[in-house]
Amino acid sequence: MGTASKALSLLNYFTRAAPKIGLSDLARHSGYNKATVHRLLSELAQHGFVEQIGSGREYRLGPAFLRLAALRENAVPMRELATQTLTELSNTTGETAHMSLLNGDVLSSFSYTYSSAHGTMVMMEDAEVLDLHATSSGLAVLAHSSAQFIDNILSAPLIKRTPETETDPDVIRAMLPDIRATGIATSIGGYEQDVHSYAVPVFDANSACIGAVAVATPVARMTDPLGEQIKSELTTRTATLTRLLGGFPPDTFPTFLQANPPQTGG
Amino acid sequence: MGTASKALSLLNYFTRAAPKIGLSDLARHSGYNKATVHRLLSELAQHGFVEQIGSGREYRLGPAFLRLAALRENAVPMRELATQTLTELSNTTGETAHMSLLNGDVLSSFSYTYSSAHGTMVMMEDAEVLDLHATSSGLAVLAHSSAQFIDNILSAPLIKRTPETETDPDVIRAMLPDIRATGIATSIGGYEQDVHSYAVPVFDANSACIGAVAVATPVARMTDPLGEQIKSELTTRTATLTRLLGGFPPDTFPTFLQANPPQTGG
DNA sequence: TGTATCGGTTCATTATCTGAACCATCGGTT
DNA sequence: AACCGATGGTTCAGATAATGAACCGATACA
């Protein structure tokens, strides 16, 4: 692995739950030598990607991301388009809609909208990391990723979030062809107990899967008719979003689901 | 320079004006070998920090920044506090207020608010890079930075943004003691013609200068009374903001400007 | 057809990164 | 006060990964 990758991978250990991390902790988690981590952190700090809190204390993410995120959003106004689609989805289904994006091999929530139709709703958090094996969004992404990526993810230890979480790589692998064929991934209580969700993939201009859009309901509220409605709204609106973002579903993606049938030629 | 720094420094070439950059361009601008740039970009791409647009085409900033910016904002809710201060500033002065943050050696606009008091206002852009030598914010930051940092900035070529832009390092250096003594930096038409601005520095918990808050008016509107009012509002409110952000002005910073006089002991 | 780009790749050379062992410091315990 | 087990940070010989000139294939243009 390249040195730059090592530096960048350190950033993945900062989460909502662990916004500040000490040098030794980071060395332990990453498996790198303390001296290495220190040097990488120094370089990251030089560019504002991390910063130290007290004098000689823990590290946290730096202000550079605010600038770069603004530039990214200016170049690719994803959030705006996504929020629009999600709002439509949560309005028409009366449930929570969210979009997640793949950053390297980390899938994290990007945007979400709630409906005011019910007293209980599935709640989301910004930048929450979604397990690829334990969420409908994760499965949707996995199903449309390269064999190498799938191997990479499934060969790592799979966390058992709930009693319902499937952690057998072979079982998960066996689920993917069906997800590919239908274009829809499902999760019932695999990530959070009492949450039932459907997800469909989002693709970029190279037809690579970059994330997913999902609609989640409390398990008790998910009936067959609601499920059908959600799947229908989800597939058509997400197909539109993919196109708005400049992306194209791959040839293998079930086209009967798309909002507009593909043009022959052009 | 470390390899990680080289990778990170590539990100600085992406701007609002140049959101997409090709491999050869990036190699030229950075001065690194094309093979090196390619390898670094590949590593950045692996982690979602850059992405390629078509098949084998230009690069742009990746989606990882959205996630990391959300985490940063969650850990350090700067934007919220800054926006509040800026809103007060633009309301009481009737002019444009903005805050900039230092990322490594790049100062960029972070947040800004307008007033509706006049028909013409100084306009700002998100993530706009502000020249350290040619803006009041930049001078405020420079004046409270280390000698090494100042040397580093002033030894590089200084862009002449307008006919009024001061580009002589020695002249700029001679301005700094006065800025340090008064706590306020001024720029009249040095960055954008017809813009007069005052800026004061913001400090972190280590008393390092992390950015600046400024109020900018059209040159024609800046009278002595307005200037005095702006400087007064700017210093007191920014001192409060620094404290809210968990920072402390250094001992050398003129304390008579601060909102609350420092406590002896504690 | 010829030229000048482009993005991307190769591989011997070499510069950079690595990591065990080392400080100095801090907080808690005895 | 002495000890312990942490912490963040530093050193330097040896291991490893970064480097860059030259290369390739593709594309665009005249």
Side-chain angles (χ1 to χ4, degrees):
Chain A
M1 184 188 291
T3 308
S5 285
K6 288 182 191 164
L8 297 179
S9 71
L10 290 181
L11 299 172
N12 284 335
Y13 296 98
F14 294 93
T15 63
R16 193 162 261 270
K20 313 172 194 176
I21 315 183
L23 174 63
S24 300
D25 252 21
L26 211 39
R28 263 191 300 277
H29 285 117
S30 63
Y32 304 141
N33 186 278
K34 197 170 50 158
T36 301
V37 173
H38 181 255
R39 189 169 37 76
L40 296 177
L41 283 173
S42 298
E43 298 204 46
L44 287 168
Q46 249 173 56
H47 293 262
F49 284 72
V50 301
E51 64 183 12
Q52 280 185 284
I53 300 176
S55 59
R57 296 216 45 67
E58 293 168 310
Y59 294 82
R60 69 180 173 200
L61 294 175
F65 296 114
L66 302 172
R67 181 175 84 89
L68 291 161
L71 283 176
R72 159 73 185 188
E73 195 59 20
N74 183 251
V76 190
M78 255 191 183
R79 172 152 272 129
E80 201 181 316
L81 293 170
T83 304
Q84 192 179 320
T85 298
L86 294 178
T87 301
E88 294 167 5
L89 267 175
S90 56
N91 281 348
T92 54
T93 62
E95 300 291 346
T96 297
H98 67 94
M99 179 170 178
S100 52
L101 288 179
L102 199 55
N103 307 117
D105 51 6
V106 173
L107 186 73
S108 62
S109 78
F110 166 61
S111 183
Y112 48 85
T113 59
Y114 302 121
S115 163
S116 52
H118 301 94
T120 63
M121 292 300 299
V122 175
M123 301 300 287
M124 297 295 298
E125 281 183 350
D126 269 339
E128 183 180 6
V129 174
L130 304 176
D131 294 320
L132 285 162
H133 66 285
T135 62
S136 60
S137 297
L139 292 171
V141 169
L142 265 193
H144 298 88
S145 294
S146 69
Q148 189 196 335
F149 183 81
I150 297 173
D151 291 346
N152 188 23
I153 297 298
L154 295 184
S155 63
L158 302 177
I159 297 172
K160 197 168 184 70
R161 290 277 175 202
T162 75
E164 279 75 42
T165 305
E166 181 57 63
T167 57
D168 183 335
D170 295 333
V171 174
I172 293 170
R173 209 179 282 272
M175 297 162 67
L176 303 184
D178 190 56
I179 296 172
R180 265 191 290 273
T182 61
I184 300 175
T186 309
S187 168
I188 307 179
Y191 184 66
E192 297 264 14
Q193 271 189 310
D194 199 41
V195 170
H196 186 151
S197 66
Y198 292 112
V200 298
V202 176
F203 301 96
D204 70 6
N206 303 319
S207 296
C209 181
I210 56 170
V213 174
V215 171
T217 79
V219 164
R221 201 149 67 219
M222 185 67 88
T223 59
D224 277 357
L226 178 60
E228 289 310 312
Q229 189 207 346
I230 287 175
K231 287 192 271 188
S232 164
E233 296 282 352
L234 197 51
T235 49
T236 56
R237 292 190 194 274
T238 303
T240 304
L241 177 60
T242 287
R243 256 186 298 113
L244 287 174
L245 293 174
F248 298 95
D251 295 341
T252 55
F253 193 71
T255 51
F256 60 86
L257 293 170
Q258 291 170 47
N260 295 346
Q263 310 290 330
T264 8
Chain B
M1 186 188 292
T3 309
S5 285
K6 289 181 192 167
L8 297 178
S9 71
L10 290 181
L11 299 171
N12 284 336
Y13 297 98
F14 294 94
T15 64
R16 191 163 263 270
K20 314 172 193 176
I21 314 184
L23 174 62
S24 299
D25 251 21
L26 211 37
R28 262 191 299 277
H29 285 118
S30 63
Y32 304 140
N33 186 278
K34 196 169 53 158
T36 300
V37 172
H38 181 252
R39 190 171 33 77
L40 295 177
L41 282 173
S42 298
E43 297 203 48
L44 288 167
Q46 249 173 56
H47 293 262
F49 284 72
V50 301
E51 63 183 13
Q52 278 185 284
I53 300 175
S55 59
R57 295 216 44 69
E58 293 167 310
Y59 294 82
R60 69 180 173 201
L61 294 175
F65 296 113
L66 301 172
R67 181 175 84 87
L68 291 161
L71 283 176
R72 159 74 185 188
E73 195 58 21
N74 183 251
V76 189
M78 253 190 187
R79 175 153 268 127
E80 201 182 316
L81 293 169
T83 305
Q84 192 179 318
T85 298
L86 295 178
T87 302
E88 294 166 5
L89 269 174
S90 55
N91 282 347
T92 55
T93 61
E95 300 291 345
T96 297
H98 67 94
M99 179 170 178
S100 52
L101 288 178
L102 199 56
N103 306 118
D105 51 6
V106 174
L107 186 73
S108 61
S109 77
F110 167 62
S111 183
Y112 48 85
T113 58
Y114 301 121
S115 163
S116 52
H118 301 95
T120 62
M121 293 299 299
V122 175
M123 302 300 287
M124 296 295 299
E125 282 184 348
D126 268 338
E128 183 181 6
V129 174
L130 304 177
D131 293 321
L132 284 161
H133 67 285
T135 63
S136 59
S137 298
L139 292 172
V141 169
L142 265 193
H144 298 88
S145 295
S146 69
Q148 190 196 333
F149 182 82
I150 297 173
D151 290 346
N152 188 25
I153 296 300
L154 295 186
S155 63
L158 303 177
I159 298 172
K160 196 165 185 70
R161 290 278 174 204
T162 74
E164 281 75 41
T165 306
E166 181 56 63
T167 56
D168 183 335
D170 295 333
V171 174
I172 292 171
R173 209 180 283 272
M175 298 163 67
L176 303 183
D178 189 56
I179 296 173
R180 265 192 290 273
T182 60
I184 300 175
T186 309
S187 168
I188 306 178
Y191 183 66
E192 296 264 15
Q193 267 189 312
D194 198 41
V195 170
H196 186 150
S197 66
Y198 292 111
V200 297
V202 176
F203 301 96
D204 71 5
N206 302 320
S207 296
C209 182
I210 57 171
V213 174
V215 171
T217 78
V219 165
R221 200 148 69 218
M222 185 68 87
T223 59
D224 278 355
L226 178 59
E228 290 310 311
Q229 188 206 347
I230 286 175
K231 287 192 270 188
S232 164
E233 296 281 351
L234 197 52
T235 48
T236 57
R237 294 190 194 274
T238 303
T240 304
L241 177 61
T242 288
R243 259 188 293 113
L244 288 174
L245 293 173
F248 298 95
D251 295 342
T252 54
F253 194 72
T255 52
F256 61 87
L257 292 171
Q258 292 169 48
N260 295 346
Q263 310 291 327
T264 7

